[in-house]
Amino acid sequence: MTFPTLKKYKIIRKVCKKYCFTLFEATDRQTDEKVYLKILDEKLRTERSHAYSFLKSARLAGVLDHDSIARIFHYGKEREHFIMASEFYRLKPLNLFIHENFPLTFNRVLDVVVQISRVLRHAHLRGVVHGLLNPSSIFLGADE
C-alpha cells in the first residue's frame, strides 16, 4: 500500500478509514514522536467547504485542554493534502470494548458515561460540539 508522501511526517501504517478522512500512525520527522495523522479524503479536498470544515474542526479541537482529549499538534495543508496531527495513544474504540466485555456491569457503564459526560461538558463550555458521537468515535485508553 502506498501512503501519501509528506515533508513533516512519515506515515507508518493506516489505522482506519472514517467518513471523510483516513487515520494513520505516523512519526514527526523532526522530533521522531509518534502521532495520529488524519488526512482529508482526496475526493473531498478539492471542494473548498470540506477542506474548510476539516481545518476548522482541527482549530476548534486545538483549544481543548483535557486529559481525555487528544491534543492537536499541527494542522494545515501540506502539498496537496489537508492534515491534522494529534497526540498518539494506545486506544480501543468503545464499541470494541463493549463487544469484548459484554455484558458490562451497571457500575462500569455508569463510570464510562460519567467520563464521557465530563469530556463533553469541557468541550461544550468552550463552544465545541462533536459532530458524530457514537461508540466507534469514543476511545478508551490503557487505564480505560
Side-chain angles (χ1 to χ4, degrees), residues 81-142:
H81 302 286
F82 290 95
I83 63 171
M84 178 190 321
S86 66
E87 192 170 8
F88 182 83
Y89 283 110
R90 297 267 178 229
L91 302 172
K92 180 181 288 191
L94 179 58
N95 60 339
L96 182 59
F97 175 81
I98 291 170
H99 179 75
E100 291 175 348
N101 296 284
F102 191 82
L104 300 176
T105 66
F106 175 77
N107 285 341
R108 189 66 190 117
V109 170
L110 186 60
D111 182 48
V112 170
V113 169
V114 166
Q115 288 181 57
I116 293 168
S117 299
R118 287 182 178 147
V119 172
L120 289 174
R121 180 177 188 275
H122 175 83
H124 291 174
L125 288 173
R126 284 148 188 84
V128 178
V129 178
H130 194 288
L132 188 59
L133 192 63
N134 61 57
S136 68
S137 65
I138 297 170
F139 293 86
L140 301 176

Side-chain angles (χ1 to χ4, degrees), residues 17-84:
K17 170 90 171 77
K18 289 289 186 173
Y19 310 99
C20 65
F21 64 85
T22 303
L23 182 67
F24 295 97
E25 181 180 327
T27 55
D28 184 312
R29 291 183 192 273
Q30 287 182 317
T31 65
D32 207 34
E33 278 190 67
K34 275 191 178 180
V35 297
Y36 279 122
L37 189 66
K38 289 181 182 179
I39 300 180
L40 184 64
D41 282 350
E42 187 175 338
K43 295 174 188 170
L44 302 176
R45 69 179 182 216
T46 56
E47 204 167 311
R48 192 177 180 135
S49 62
H50 291 295
Y52 175 79
S53 294
F54 182 80
L55 295 176
K56 181 180 177 185
S57 69
R59 183 180 52 79
L60 288 172
V63 304
L64 301 176
D65 184 21
H66 191 280
D67 290 342
S68 295
I69 299 174
R71 291 177 299 156
I72 304 297
F73 296 130
H74 173 251
Y75 61 91
K77 186 175 183 182
E78 187 174 316
R79 301 192 177 163
E80 70 274 7
H81 302 286
F82 290 95
I83 63 171
M84 178 190 321

